[in-house]
Amino acid sequence: MAGIADHYDDPIHIAVIGGTGLASLADFTHVANVKPSTPWGVPSSPIAVLHHPSPSTGKSIPIAFLSRHGLHHELAPHEVPSRANIAALRSIGVRTIIAFSAVGSLQEDIKPRDFVVPDQIIDRTKGVRPFTFFEGGMVGHVGFADPFDGDVGKVVRKCGHSLEGEGVRLHDSGTVVCMEGPQFSTRAESKLYRSWGGAVINMSALPEAKLAKEAEIAYQMICMSTDYDCWHESGDVTVEMVMGNMKANAENARRFVGAVLDELSKEEHSDLVLAKHLESQTKFAGSITAPAGRSAEAKSKLQWLFPGYFD
């Protein structure tokens, strides 16, 4: 594309992972496409580098944008190369990720087109998705009690509430049930997840959130409800229903994410954006394997991701 560079040399600290319903950020200046290769393969799409003016200084802030399912939505949820995605983002400097996802609602009060800022996850994937950087000769145990970043979540909630009354309705918390897919739930499963206290259901929160935690990246998902799953008397979920609600609410989704990026671009959030509160956590969590027991391949991969951590 004319005027779009194929490299970008400065570090990029904030990324948006766009899922179904958020394919781009139209009001940002697209300056580059980068295609980093990682020890875990290539990411699901080229990473678009977008310039965003800081609301406090006017200086251009670079934002990385990655399409989770590929540029043409060609990757099924279990095919998304999440390790490559997170590793590629960290390698270009990203320390904060705002992840967007379409979800089904498991609660009457979360209506189609509502937004949810979740705080917990229940894992219903089947173990077929690679979900850790620590394997093959190095063991690492990273805490995952709080799968989303509390401080970034506060910023996201503040921005969402600032848009209420302009078509945005926000729920401050909720548990995401992450299922395998690509089929939707059975009616029995949907009712079970409701009984567990699930708020919404998707196919994308994991292993993305786990890998971000291992990579010391502050990660927060924004969910947009598109349907009532199949438990509700309004009818079973269909692709047509999902796509229709996403299209109708796309502008609100872009405004919401744009407001979050505006706020995070302020200098007062610089330490948060750099995830200073997460620095070196993985260095200690990943040092459980004694140096003599670390395989050369595992050590090489982790040194690429965390230079200087496991020398």
Side-chain angles (χ1 to χ4, degrees):
M1 185 183 297
I4 305 298
D6 60 3
H7 67 280
Y8 193 85
D9 297 328
D10 295 333
I12 306 167
H13 301 312
I14 305 173
V16 174
I17 297 180
T20 307
L22 188 71
S24 63
L25 293 172
D27 296 331
F28 291 64
T29 304
H30 189 178
V31 297
N33 284 326
V34 296
K35 302 177 182 179
S37 180
T38 81
W40 296 274
V42 296
S44 54
S45 76
I47 298 171
V49 182
L50 312 174
H51 272 182
H52 178 71
S54 165
S56 51
T57 67
K59 177 184 175 183
S60 289
I61 304 294
I63 305 292
F65 185 90
L66 176 66
S67 295
R68 181 186 291 118
H69 295 286
L71 291 179
H72 308 288
H73 206 110
E74 65 271 24
L75 297 171
H78 67 284
E79 295 176 317
V80 173
S82 293
R83 289 192 295 187
N85 288 349
I86 298 299
L89 290 173
R90 180 178 168 89
S91 75
I92 63 173
V94 169
R95 296 296 181 270
T96 291
I97 291 174
I98 303 300
F100 187 86
S101 175
V103 298
S105 170
L106 295 171
Q107 300 298 330
E108 186 80 46
D109 186 50
I110 301 175
K111 298 176 172 57
R113 306 187 193 178
D114 283 4
F115 293 92
V116 180
V117 182
D119 56 348
Q120 278 297 324
I121 302 174
I122 293 174
D123 189 354
R124 287 289 293 159
T125 61
K126 298 176 180 177
V128 300
R129 310 178 186 192
F131 53 84
T132 182
F133 293 114
F134 290 94
E135 61 180 6
M138 282 188 69
V139 176
H141 298 292
V142 172
F144 199 58
D146 296 303
F148 302 107
D149 190 86
D151 291 331
V152 174
K154 289 177 183 176
V155 173
V156 172
R157 292 177 183 98
K158 174 185 173 182
C159 294
H161 285 303
S162 74
L163 296 173
E164 284 185 319
E166 300 177 34
V168 172
R169 184 167 185 260
L170 182 68
H171 301 266
D172 278 340
S173 63
T175 296
V176 178
V177 177
C178 186
M179 63 175 289
E180 188 62 67
Q183 302 83 2
F184 295 125
S185 303
T186 68
R187 216 176 309 282
E189 289 168 337
S190 190
K191 292 177 179 178
L192 176 66
Y193 303 149
R194 276 172 47 76
S195 76
W196 288 352
V200 294
I201 184 166
N202 77 0
M203 304 174 190
S204 301
L206 297 172
E208 203 170 84
K210 287 183 176 180
L211 294 165
K213 185 73 78 172
E214 286 189 347
E216 297 177 353
I217 293 174
Y219 177 93
Q220 179 63 58
M221 180 167 274
I222 297 174
C223 300
M224 184 176 76
S225 172
T226 59
D227 57 86
Y228 272 125
D229 207 43
C230 60
W231 64 271
H232 198 268
E233 61 185 16
S234 59
D236 297 348
V237 57
T238 65
V239 170
E240 291 80 7
M241 180 189 302
V242 170
M243 298 303 290
N245 279 320
M246 285 193 306
K247 185 176 180 180
N249 214 27
E251 181 55 32
N252 284 333
R254 284 191 287 268
R255 287 196 305 120
F256 190 173
V257 173
V260 172
L261 297 177
D262 259 339
E263 184 64 26
L264 290 175
S265 297
K266 295 178 180 177
E267 291 180 340
E268 66 194 77
H269 297 304
S270 58
D271 283 352
L272 173 60
V273 164
L274 289 171
K276 293 287 189 180
H277 56 298
L278 300 178
E279 276 187 4
S280 297
Q281 289 187 6
T282 298
K283 182 176 183 179
F284 297 107
S287 297
I288 191 169
T289 302
R294 299 173 183 176
S295 75
E297 181 182 5
K299 185 177 177 180
S300 174
K301 286 182 175 180
L302 289 167
Q303 283 176 328
W304 184 93
L305 189 60
F306 304 106
Y309 270 25
F310 305 111
D311 292 341

